[in-house]
Tab-separated table of all heavy atoms in Angstrom:
chain	number	residue	atom	x	y	z
A	1	ASP	N	0.825	-1.121	-0.035
A	1	ASP	CA	0.044	-0.019	-0.011
A	1	ASP	C	0.852	1.320	-0.072
A	1	ASP	O	1.642	1.496	0.944
A	1	ASP	CB	-0.906	-0.121	1.162
A	1	ASP	CG	-1.759	1.145	1.385
A	1	ASP	OD1	-1.927	1.881	0.468
A	1	ASP	OD2	-2.282	1.346	2.502
A	2	PRO	N	0.875	2.066	-0.934
A	2	PRO	CA	1.725	3.218	-1.102
A	2	PRO	C	1.576	4.266	-0.035
A	2	PRO	O	2.399	4.805	0.523
A	2	PRO	CB	1.292	3.820	-2.495
A	2	PRO	CG	0.776	2.789	-3.226
A	2	PRO	CD	0.133	1.756	-2.192
A	3	ALA	N	0.333	4.411	0.484
A	3	ALA	CA	0.069	5.360	1.555
A	3	ALA	C	0.798	4.897	2.832
A	3	ALA	O	1.250	5.674	3.553
A	3	ALA	CB	-1.468	5.536	1.788
A	4	ALA	N	0.660	3.578	3.149
A	4	ALA	CA	1.177	3.077	4.480
A	4	ALA	C	2.761	3.036	4.280
A	4	ALA	O	3.463	3.347	5.320
A	4	ALA	CB	0.763	1.563	4.476
A	5	LEU	N	3.338	2.880	3.061
A	5	LEU	CA	4.796	2.964	2.930
A	5	LEU	C	5.209	4.361	3.192
A	5	LEU	O	6.227	4.715	3.835
A	5	LEU	CB	5.257	2.479	1.478
A	5	LEU	CG	6.619	2.572	1.212
A	5	LEU	CD1	7.373	1.740	2.201
A	5	LEU	CD2	6.838	2.040	-0.228
A	6	LYS	N	4.462	5.442	2.629
A	6	LYS	CA	4.887	6.851	2.825
A	6	LYS	C	4.800	7.180	4.263
A	6	LYS	O	5.703	7.889	4.741
A	6	LYS	CB	3.919	7.737	1.905
A	6	LYS	CG	4.299	9.263	2.140
A	6	LYS	CD	3.444	10.119	1.304
A	6	LYS	CE	3.779	11.597	1.484
A	6	LYS	NZ	4.516	12.043	2.601
A	7	THR	N	3.719	6.726	4.928
A	7	THR	CA	3.694	7.012	6.371
A	7	THR	C	4.778	6.422	7.199
A	7	THR	O	5.445	7.114	7.988
A	7	THR	CB	2.258	6.408	6.926
A	7	THR	OG1	1.262	7.021	6.214
A	7	THR	CG2	2.105	6.733	8.395
A	8	PHE	N	5.151	5.158	6.770
A	8	PHE	CA	6.274	4.590	7.445
A	8	PHE	C	7.608	5.366	7.203
A	8	PHE	O	8.307	5.660	8.217
A	8	PHE	CB	6.393	3.006	6.932
A	8	PHE	CG	7.651	2.409	7.451
A	8	PHE	CD1	7.690	1.888	8.719
A	8	PHE	CD2	8.747	2.268	6.647
A	8	PHE	CE1	8.859	1.268	9.263
A	8	PHE	CE2	9.897	1.590	7.092
A	8	PHE	CZ	9.991	1.075	8.418
A	9	LEU	N	7.839	5.690	6.031
A	9	LEU	CA	9.069	6.456	5.620
A	9	LEU	C	9.081	7.770	6.321
A	9	LEU	O	10.130	8.283	6.857
A	9	LEU	CB	9.328	6.525	4.246
A	9	LEU	CG	9.680	5.233	3.550
A	9	LEU	CD1	9.654	5.373	1.948
A	9	LEU	CD2	10.936	4.660	3.939
A	10	ASP	N	7.896	8.435	6.504
A	10	ASP	CA	7.784	9.710	7.074
A	10	ASP	C	8.097	9.601	8.529
A	10	ASP	O	8.843	10.439	9.119
A	10	ASP	CB	6.503	10.341	6.919
A	10	ASP	CG	6.195	10.876	5.476
A	10	ASP	OD1	7.269	11.034	4.681
A	10	ASP	OD2	4.964	11.144	5.191
A	11	ASN	N	7.675	8.498	9.098
A	11	ASN	CA	7.866	8.249	10.602
A	11	ASN	C	9.359	8.050	10.894
A	11	ASN	O	9.861	8.308	12.057
A	11	ASN	CB	6.983	7.202	11.158
A	11	ASN	CG	5.573	7.613	11.188
A	11	ASN	OD1	5.188	8.787	11.270
A	11	ASN	ND2	4.660	6.678	11.175
A	12	ILE	N	10.062	7.327	9.973
A	12	ILE	CA	11.516	6.966	10.329
A	12	ILE	C	12.402	7.945	9.599
A	12	ILE	O	13.654	7.764	9.796
A	12	ILE	CB	11.726	5.550	9.856
A	12	ILE	CG1	11.770	5.438	8.456
A	12	ILE	CG2	10.904	4.532	10.632
A	12	ILE	CD1	12.506	4.102	7.915
A	13	ALA	N	11.981	9.007	8.977
A	13	ALA	CA	12.955	9.977	8.402
A	13	ALA	C	14.001	10.486	9.197
A	13	ALA	O	15.151	10.503	8.830
A	13	ALA	CB	12.054	11.108	7.766
A	14	PRO	N	13.662	10.780	10.498
A	14	PRO	CA	14.860	11.357	11.477
A	14	PRO	C	15.862	10.292	11.556
A	14	PRO	O	17.034	10.654	11.634
A	14	PRO	CB	14.082	11.630	12.733
A	14	PRO	CG	12.665	11.907	12.395
A	14	PRO	CD	12.335	10.896	11.279
A	15	GLN	N	15.552	8.958	11.657
A	15	GLN	CA	16.509	7.857	11.822
A	15	GLN	C	17.382	7.813	10.457
A	15	GLN	O	18.539	7.339	10.546
A	15	GLN	CB	15.856	6.601	12.138
A	15	GLN	CG	15.211	6.655	13.494
A	15	GLN	CD	14.461	5.306	13.666
A	15	GLN	OE1	13.961	4.732	12.766
A	15	GLN	NE2	14.454	4.927	14.975
A	16	LEU	N	16.847	8.131	9.382
A	16	LEU	CA	17.594	8.015	8.058
A	16	LEU	C	18.558	9.132	7.817
A	16	LEU	O	19.241	9.029	6.916
A	16	LEU	CB	16.570	8.007	6.872
A	16	LEU	CG	15.460	6.822	6.876
A	16	LEU	CD1	14.485	7.000	5.790
A	16	LEU	CD2	16.165	5.476	6.900
A	17	ASP	N	18.642	10.022	8.796
A	17	ASP	CA	19.522	11.127	8.592
A	17	ASP	C	20.849	10.687	9.231
A	17	ASP	O	21.139	10.946	10.398
A	17	ASP	CB	18.990	12.347	9.434
A	17	ASP	CG	20.010	13.544	9.431
A	17	ASP	OD1	20.992	13.460	8.612
A	17	ASP	OD2	19.853	14.385	10.273
A	18	VAL	N	21.546	9.846	8.445
A	18	VAL	CA	22.853	9.266	8.950
A	18	VAL	C	23.981	10.232	9.311
A	18	VAL	O	24.629	10.039	10.253
A	18	VAL	CB	23.393	8.225	7.845
A	18	VAL	CG1	24.646	7.639	8.217
A	18	VAL	CG2	22.285	7.144	7.535
A	19	ASP	N	24.036	11.265	8.526
A	19	ASP	CA	25.156	12.287	8.902
A	19	ASP	C	24.847	13.343	10.040
A	19	ASP	O	25.578	14.019	10.398
A	19	ASP	CB	25.723	12.883	7.630
A	19	ASP	CG	24.685	13.638	6.919
A	19	ASP	OD1	23.583	13.910	7.384
A	19	ASP	OD2	24.996	14.169	5.751
A	20	GLY	N	23.582	13.238	10.321
A	20	GLY	CA	23.061	14.108	11.426
A	20	GLY	C	22.987	15.570	11.084
A	20	GLY	O	23.154	16.459	11.900
A	21	ASN	N	22.667	15.912	9.764
A	21	ASN	CA	22.416	17.324	9.483
A	21	ASN	C	21.051	17.861	9.473
A	21	ASN	O	20.758	18.929	8.983
A	21	ASN	CB	23.218	17.644	8.116
A	21	ASN	CG	22.487	16.994	6.956
A	21	ASN	OD1	21.619	16.224	7.091
A	21	ASN	ND2	22.894	17.470	5.767
A	22	GLY	N	20.190	17.017	9.915
A	22	GLY	CA	18.795	17.468	10.008
A	22	GLY	C	17.965	17.088	8.744
A	22	GLY	O	16.780	17.364	8.700
A	23	LEU	N	18.630	16.558	7.781
A	23	LEU	CA	17.952	16.146	6.474
A	23	LEU	C	18.102	14.633	6.007
A	23	LEU	O	19.315	14.192	6.137
A	23	LEU	CB	18.457	16.951	5.325
A	23	LEU	CG	18.226	18.566	5.473
A	23	LEU	CD1	19.105	19.201	4.364
A	23	LEU	CD2	16.873	18.846	5.444
A	24	ALA	N	17.175	13.964	5.699
A	24	ALA	CA	17.315	12.679	5.200
A	24	ALA	C	17.385	12.699	3.725
A	24	ALA	O	16.402	12.993	3.024
A	24	ALA	CB	16.062	11.810	5.578
A	25	ASP	N	18.633	12.682	3.168
A	25	ASP	CA	18.944	12.923	1.811
A	25	ASP	C	19.531	11.745	1.075
A	25	ASP	O	20.525	11.226	1.566
A	25	ASP	CB	19.897	14.181	1.718
A	25	ASP	CG	20.217	14.650	0.314
A	25	ASP	OD1	19.704	13.998	-0.789
A	25	ASP	OD2	20.850	15.657	0.222
A	26	ALA	N	19.051	11.382	0.017
A	26	ALA	CA	19.554	10.191	-0.688
A	26	ALA	C	21.024	10.381	-1.297
A	26	ALA	O	21.756	9.450	-1.198
A	26	ALA	CB	18.598	9.903	-1.997
A	27	ARG	N	21.383	11.709	-1.550
A	27	ARG	CA	22.667	11.917	-2.106
A	27	ARG	C	23.773	11.831	-0.956
A	27	ARG	O	24.999	11.854	-1.307
A	27	ARG	CB	22.786	13.382	-2.760
A	27	ARG	CG	21.908	13.335	-4.116
A	27	ARG	CD	21.772	14.623	-4.697
A	27	ARG	NE	20.867	15.376	-3.791
A	27	ARG	CZ	20.806	16.644	-3.762
A	27	ARG	NH1	21.583	17.514	-4.267
A	27	ARG	NH2	19.833	17.235	-2.905
A	28	THR	N	23.321	11.963	0.295
A	28	THR	CA	24.395	11.817	1.370
A	28	THR	C	24.127	10.702	2.164
A	28	THR	O	24.760	9.735	2.261
A	28	THR	CB	24.381	13.180	2.246
A	28	THR	OG1	23.072	13.435	2.676
A	28	THR	CG2	24.953	14.373	1.404
A	29	ASP	N	23.002	10.659	2.851
A	29	ASP	CA	22.529	9.573	3.850
A	29	ASP	C	22.421	8.256	3.102
A	29	ASP	O	22.903	7.256	3.468
A	29	ASP	CB	21.296	10.017	4.513
A	29	ASP	CG	21.504	11.405	5.295
A	29	ASP	OD1	22.318	11.505	6.047
A	29	ASP	OD2	20.635	12.273	5.090
A	30	GLY	N	21.704	8.379	1.863
A	30	GLY	CA	21.460	7.106	1.221
A	30	GLY	C	22.693	6.619	0.737
A	30	GLY	O	23.010	5.382	0.760
A	31	LEU	N	23.671	7.527	0.195
A	31	LEU	CA	24.984	7.007	-0.254
A	31	LEU	C	25.760	6.365	0.889
A	31	LEU	O	26.442	5.381	0.673
A	31	LEU	CB	25.643	8.201	-0.818
A	31	LEU	CG	27.076	7.838	-1.502
A	31	LEU	CD1	27.027	6.828	-2.588
A	31	LEU	CD2	27.705	9.120	-2.068
A	32	LEU	N	25.739	6.985	2.073
A	32	LEU	CA	26.388	6.382	3.240
A	32	LEU	C	25.978	5.003	3.445
A	32	LEU	O	26.763	4.054	3.778
A	32	LEU	CB	26.299	7.262	4.518
A	32	LEU	CG	27.039	8.628	4.344
A	32	LEU	CD1	26.563	9.519	5.508
A	32	LEU	CD2	28.567	8.347	4.446
A	33	VAL	N	24.644	4.769	3.395
A	33	VAL	CA	24.004	3.511	3.817
A	33	VAL	C	24.535	2.550	2.619
A	33	VAL	O	24.927	1.373	3.026
A	33	VAL	CB	22.481	3.566	3.947
A	33	VAL	CG1	21.841	2.145	3.947
A	33	VAL	CG2	22.111	4.363	5.182
A	34	VAL	N	24.400	2.810	1.386
A	34	VAL	CA	24.706	1.985	0.313
A	34	VAL	C	26.270	1.579	0.448
A	34	VAL	O	26.595	0.439	0.384
A	34	VAL	CB	24.472	2.566	-0.966
A	34	VAL	CG1	24.987	1.812	-2.159
A	34	VAL	CG2	22.909	2.671	-1.272
A	35	ARG	N	27.039	2.567	0.695
A	35	ARG	CA	28.483	2.225	0.878
A	35	ARG	C	28.752	1.294	2.101
A	35	ARG	O	29.534	0.365	1.997
A	35	ARG	CB	29.256	3.545	1.062
A	35	ARG	CG	29.515	4.293	-0.236
A	35	ARG	CD	30.232	5.647	0.105
A	35	ARG	NE	30.460	6.399	-1.145
A	35	ARG	CZ	31.035	7.617	-1.011
A	35	ARG	NH1	31.549	8.131	0.009
A	35	ARG	NH2	31.158	8.309	-2.218
A	36	TYR	N	28.067	1.558	3.107
A	36	TYR	CA	28.174	0.680	4.332
A	36	TYR	C	27.743	-0.766	3.989
A	36	TYR	O	28.508	-1.814	4.300
A	36	TYR	CB	27.395	1.186	5.482
A	36	TYR	CG	27.493	0.378	6.764
A	36	TYR	CD1	28.599	0.818	7.543
A	36	TYR	CD2	26.750	-0.685	6.989
A	36	TYR	CE1	28.775	0.070	8.823
A	36	TYR	CE2	26.963	-1.359	8.208
A	36	TYR	CZ	27.967	-1.005	9.081
A	36	TYR	OH	28.160	-1.672	10.256
A	37	LEU	N	26.602	-0.913	3.288
A	37	LEU	CA	26.146	-2.194	2.861
A	37	LEU	C	27.143	-2.901	1.941
A	37	LEU	O	27.144	-4.242	1.896
A	37	LEU	CB	24.711	-2.136	2.241
A	37	LEU	CG	23.622	-1.725	3.236
A	37	LEU	CD1	22.304	-1.504	2.541
A	37	LEU	CD2	23.432	-2.690	4.308
A	38	PHE	N	27.920	-2.129	1.069
A	38	PHE	CA	29.002	-2.759	0.248
A	38	PHE	C	30.274	-2.879	1.032
A	38	PHE	O	31.293	-3.153	0.382
A	38	PHE	CB	29.078	-1.931	-1.031
A	38	PHE	CG	27.923	-2.240	-2.044
A	38	PHE	CD1	27.000	-1.268	-2.314
A	38	PHE	CD2	28.116	-3.270	-2.812
A	38	PHE	CE1	26.047	-1.538	-3.241
A	38	PHE	CE2	27.086	-3.583	-3.739
A	38	PHE	CZ	26.164	-2.743	-3.898
A	39	GLU	N	30.132	-2.764	2.364
A	39	GLU	CA	31.279	-3.052	3.210
A	39	GLU	C	32.530	-2.130	3.115
A	39	GLU	O	33.567	-2.367	3.328
A	39	GLU	CB	31.775	-4.549	3.007
A	39	GLU	CG	30.693	-5.388	3.459
A	39	GLU	CD	31.111	-6.810	3.468
A	39	GLU	OE1	32.325	-7.084	3.133
A	39	GLU	OE2	30.345	-7.827	3.687
A	40	LEU	N	32.271	-0.762	2.628
A	40	LEU	CA	33.129	0.291	2.528
A	40	LEU	C	33.275	0.798	3.980
A	40	LEU	O	32.303	1.138	4.641
A	40	LEU	CB	32.874	1.252	1.564
A	40	LEU	CG	32.676	0.874	0.099
A	40	LEU	CD1	32.260	2.066	-0.701
A	40	LEU	CD2	34.121	0.313	-0.346
A	41	ARG	N	34.369	1.030	4.426
A	41	ARG	CA	34.654	1.573	5.912
A	41	ARG	C	35.739	2.661	5.760
A	41	ARG	O	36.419	2.786	4.747
A	41	ARG	CB	35.115	0.399	6.726
A	41	ARG	CG	34.123	-0.740	6.845
A	41	ARG	CD	32.859	-0.280	7.618
A	41	ARG	NE	31.928	-1.352	7.830
A	41	ARG	CZ	30.914	-1.866	6.972
A	41	ARG	NH1	30.871	-1.273	5.780
A	41	ARG	NH2	30.200	-2.736	7.317
A	42	GLY	N	35.842	3.389	6.811
A	42	GLY	CA	36.787	4.404	6.853
A	42	GLY	C	36.585	5.523	5.871
A	42	GLY	O	35.448	5.872	5.597
A	43	ALA	N	37.744	6.049	5.332
A	43	ALA	CA	37.578	7.186	4.467
A	43	ALA	C	36.714	6.864	3.188
A	43	ALA	O	35.969	7.671	2.640
A	43	ALA	CB	38.957	7.725	3.961
A	44	SER	N	36.737	5.689	2.784
A	44	SER	CA	36.003	5.188	1.560
A	44	SER	C	34.457	5.349	1.867
A	44	SER	O	33.711	5.551	0.917
A	44	SER	CB	36.310	3.751	1.193
A	44	SER	OG	37.626	3.706	0.779
A	45	LEU	N	34.115	5.185	3.097
A	45	LEU	CA	32.719	5.210	3.456
A	45	LEU	C	32.148	6.636	3.371
A	45	LEU	O	31.094	6.914	2.874
A	45	LEU	CB	32.481	4.831	4.891
A	45	LEU	CG	31.120	4.908	5.366
A	45	LEU	CD1	30.080	4.079	4.728
A	45	LEU	CD2	31.079	4.545	6.908
A	46	ILE	N	32.959	7.657	3.890
A	46	ILE	CA	32.364	8.975	3.950
A	46	ILE	C	32.969	10.088	2.885
A	46	ILE	O	32.276	11.156	2.800
A	46	ILE	CB	32.777	9.500	5.332
A	46	ILE	CG1	34.227	9.724	5.655
A	46	ILE	CG2	32.131	8.799	6.486
A	46	ILE	CD1	34.616	10.517	6.877
A	47	GLN	N	33.889	9.723	2.083
A	47	GLN	CA	34.478	10.629	1.193
A	47	GLN	C	33.395	11.207	0.199
A	47	GLN	O	32.752	10.489	-0.511
A	47	GLN	CB	35.517	10.019	0.383
A	47	GLN	CG	36.179	11.035	-0.436
A	47	GLN	CD	37.478	10.292	-1.260
A	47	GLN	OE1	37.562	9.064	-1.236
A	47	GLN	NE2	38.344	11.169	-1.753
A	48	GLY	N	33.121	12.492	0.318
A	48	GLY	CA	32.128	13.175	-0.600
A	48	GLY	C	30.699	12.931	-0.254
A	48	GLY	O	29.796	13.248	-0.996
A	49	ALA	N	30.457	12.208	0.897
A	49	ALA	CA	29.062	11.920	1.224
A	49	ALA	C	28.622	12.468	2.491
A	49	ALA	O	27.401	12.125	2.961
A	49	ALA	CB	28.965	10.301	1.262
A	50	ILE	N	29.275	13.360	3.127
A	50	ILE	CA	28.672	14.110	4.369
A	50	ILE	C	28.143	15.297	4.085
A	50	ILE	O	28.602	16.183	3.253
A	50	ILE	CB	29.840	14.254	5.291
A	50	ILE	CG1	30.622	12.910	5.664
A	50	ILE	CG2	29.416	14.961	6.525
A	50	ILE	CD1	29.744	11.913	6.538
A	51	GLY	N	26.773	15.547	4.410
A	51	GLY	CA	26.067	16.729	4.119
A	51	GLY	C	26.596	18.055	4.823
A	51	GLY	O	27.258	17.857	5.957
A	52	THR	N	26.302	19.086	4.417
A	52	THR	CA	26.579	20.408	4.963
A	52	THR	C	25.888	20.478	6.386
A	52	THR	O	24.775	20.144	6.421
A	52	THR	CB	26.170	21.567	4.155
A	52	THR	OG1	26.751	21.442	2.822
A	52	THR	CG2	26.524	22.867	4.785
A	53	GLY	N	26.625	20.834	7.379
A	53	GLY	CA	26.115	21.138	8.703
A	53	GLY	C	25.930	19.727	9.375
A	53	GLY	O	25.217	19.628	10.500
A	54	ALA	N	26.547	18.729	8.997
A	54	ALA	CA	26.492	17.341	9.667
A	54	ALA	C	27.168	17.336	11.070
A	54	ALA	O	28.065	18.073	11.283
A	54	ALA	CB	27.169	16.229	8.764
A	55	THR	N	26.550	16.489	11.863
A	55	THR	CA	27.145	16.349	13.223
A	55	THR	C	27.882	15.064	13.274
A	55	THR	O	28.690	14.819	14.249
A	55	THR	CB	26.071	16.426	14.366
A	55	THR	OG1	25.079	15.254	13.967
A	55	THR	CG2	25.273	17.706	14.367
A	56	ARG	N	27.638	14.029	12.419
A	56	ARG	CA	28.482	12.858	12.299
A	56	ARG	C	29.338	13.065	11.096
A	56	ARG	O	28.831	12.932	9.902
A	56	ARG	CB	27.614	11.696	12.260
A	56	ARG	CG	26.916	11.354	13.638
A	56	ARG	CD	26.020	10.079	13.475
A	56	ARG	NE	24.745	10.393	12.910
A	56	ARG	CZ	23.641	10.860	13.549
A	56	ARG	NH1	23.724	11.081	14.848
A	56	ARG	NH2	22.478	11.089	12.912
A	57	THR	N	30.562	13.282	11.309
A	57	THR	CA	31.472	13.725	10.197
A	57	THR	C	32.692	12.717	10.017
A	57	THR	O	33.458	12.923	9.111
A	57	THR	CB	32.024	15.136	10.387
A	57	THR	OG1	32.733	15.195	11.551
A	57	THR	CG2	30.891	16.153	10.354
A	58	THR	N	32.752	11.805	10.970
A	58	THR	CA	33.922	10.886	10.838
A	58	THR	C	33.383	9.431	10.496
A	58	THR	O	32.109	9.150	10.787
A	58	THR	CB	34.777	10.760	12.223
A	58	THR	OG1	34.066	10.148	13.187
A	58	THR	CG2	35.297	12.171	12.568
A	59	ALA	N	34.200	8.604	9.923
A	59	ALA	CA	33.893	7.283	9.605
A	59	ALA	C	33.377	6.562	10.817
A	59	ALA	O	32.287	5.852	10.861
A	59	ALA	CB	34.950	6.602	8.840
A	60	PRO	N	34.122	6.546	11.917
A	60	PRO	CA	33.672	5.824	13.072
A	60	PRO	C	32.360	6.244	13.592
A	60	PRO	O	31.416	5.406	14.011
A	60	PRO	CB	34.733	6.045	14.198
A	60	PRO	CG	35.994	6.407	13.347
A	60	PRO	CD	35.458	7.086	12.187
A	61	GLN	N	31.990	7.500	13.537
A	61	GLN	CA	30.704	8.092	13.959
A	61	GLN	C	29.607	7.425	12.988
A	61	GLN	O	28.494	7.077	13.402
A	61	GLN	CB	30.616	9.537	13.958
A	61	GLN	CG	31.552	10.186	14.991
A	61	GLN	CD	31.618	11.810	14.832
A	61	GLN	OE1	31.634	12.261	13.659
A	61	GLN	NE2	31.674	12.482	15.899
A	62	VAL	N	29.831	7.643	11.815
A	62	VAL	CA	28.741	7.056	10.765
A	62	VAL	C	28.631	5.625	10.837
A	62	VAL	O	27.461	5.111	10.898
A	62	VAL	CB	29.245	7.513	9.428
A	62	VAL	CG1	28.358	6.800	8.264
A	62	VAL	CG2	29.171	9.024	9.221
A	63	GLU	N	29.749	4.865	11.030
A	63	GLU	CA	29.660	3.338	11.138
A	63	GLU	C	28.914	2.999	12.397
A	63	GLU	O	28.021	2.146	12.395
A	63	GLU	CB	31.095	2.735	11.146
A	63	GLU	CG	31.789	2.931	9.951
A	63	GLU	CD	33.261	2.521	9.978
A	63	GLU	OE1	33.619	1.749	10.959
A	63	GLU	OE2	34.115	2.921	9.123
A	64	SER	N	29.171	3.757	13.495
A	64	SER	CA	28.422	3.442	14.765
A	64	SER	C	26.980	3.636	14.616
A	64	SER	O	26.087	2.848	15.090
A	64	SER	CB	29.125	4.131	15.897
A	64	SER	OG	30.403	3.737	16.183
A	65	TYR	N	26.651	4.843	14.003
A	65	TYR	CA	25.234	5.109	13.742
A	65	TYR	C	24.470	4.161	12.973
A	65	TYR	O	23.447	3.596	13.315
A	65	TYR	CB	25.033	6.512	13.237
A	65	TYR	CG	23.657	6.940	13.165
A	65	TYR	CD1	22.912	7.395	14.325
A	65	TYR	CD2	22.889	6.806	11.943
A	65	TYR	CE1	21.691	7.870	14.229
A	65	TYR	CE2	21.559	7.252	11.936
A	65	TYR	CZ	21.043	7.666	13.057
A	65	TYR	OH	19.726	8.108	12.994
A	66	ILE	N	25.001	3.753	11.893
A	66	ILE	CA	24.364	2.630	11.010
A	66	ILE	C	24.380	1.322	11.743
A	66	ILE	O	23.231	0.851	11.640
A	66	ILE	CB	25.123	2.601	9.621
A	66	ILE	CG1	24.962	3.890	8.863
A	66	ILE	CG2	24.578	1.453	8.862
A	66	ILE	CD1	25.897	3.983	7.680
A	67	LEU	N	25.308	0.969	12.349
A	67	LEU	CA	25.273	-0.266	13.094
A	67	LEU	C	24.269	-0.351	14.181
A	67	LEU	O	23.568	-1.249	14.282
A	67	LEU	CB	26.675	-0.535	13.793
A	67	LEU	CG	26.891	-1.873	14.428
A	67	LEU	CD1	26.748	-3.003	13.374
A	67	LEU	CD2	28.210	-1.905	15.055
A	68	ALA	N	23.942	0.858	14.743
A	68	ALA	CA	22.904	0.885	15.768
A	68	ALA	C	21.514	0.729	15.176
A	68	ALA	O	20.516	0.423	15.780
A	68	ALA	CB	23.009	2.247	16.576
A	69	LEU	N	21.348	1.103	13.947
A	69	LEU	CA	20.103	1.068	13.160
A	69	LEU	C	19.745	-0.389	12.784
A	69	LEU	O	18.557	-0.796	12.519
A	69	LEU	CB	20.035	1.826	11.945
A	69	LEU	CG	20.120	3.366	12.164
A	69	LEU	CD1	20.165	4.027	10.705
A	69	LEU	CD2	18.929	3.863	12.837
A	70	LEU	N	20.788	-1.307	12.702
A	70	LEU	CA	20.586	-2.610	12.214
A	70	LEU	C	19.961	-3.510	13.217
A	70	LEU	O	20.283	-3.324	14.452
A	70	LEU	CB	21.982	-3.205	11.737
A	70	LEU	CG	22.488	-2.473	10.601
A	70	LEU	CD1	23.988	-3.198	10.301
A	70	LEU	CD2	21.720	-2.498	9.382
A	71	PRO	N	19.132	-4.487	12.818
A	71	PRO	CA	18.483	-5.356	13.861
A	71	PRO	C	19.562	-6.263	14.505
A	71	PRO	O	20.548	-6.543	14.039
A	71	PRO	CB	17.449	-6.243	13.079
A	71	PRO	CG	17.827	-5.913	11.589
A	71	PRO	CD	18.670	-4.832	11.509
């Protein structure tokens, strides 16, 4: 159901803000998640993928945040 999916994504949007800049953005947060899932770590994980105003700006911070989201 598209409406249920939209509601679900709207509800978890704050959690999808991986870099902590207040925005859930596919070009930054989505890229960080995809890179993490492809097992990129360290500088390879975050290079060019941290949004402006981010509070999580280092690879260990991003890695810890994503790890905490996993079941």
Side-chain angles (χ1 to χ4, degrees):
D1 175 18
L5 181 58
K6 182 181 180 335
T7 299
F8 174 76
L9 291 174
D10 288 344
N11 289 336
I12 67 164
Q15 294 174 330
L16 299 176
D17 178 18
V18 175
D19 61 10
N21 69 345
L23 303 168
D25 184 355
R27 291 172 286 157
T28 56
D29 305 303
L31 183 56
L32 290 166
V33 169
V34 168
R35 287 180 180 179
Y36 185 88
L37 292 174
F38 278 105
E39 299 184 3
L40 296 173
R41 301 294 186 269
S44 298
L45 173 66
I46 64 169
Q47 186 174 14
I50 301 295
T52 303
T55 59
R56 287 182 281 275
T57 59
T58 68
Q61 290 171 328
V62 170
E63 291 171 23
S64 293
Y65 184 79
I66 294 173
L67 187 59
L69 293 175
L70 298 176

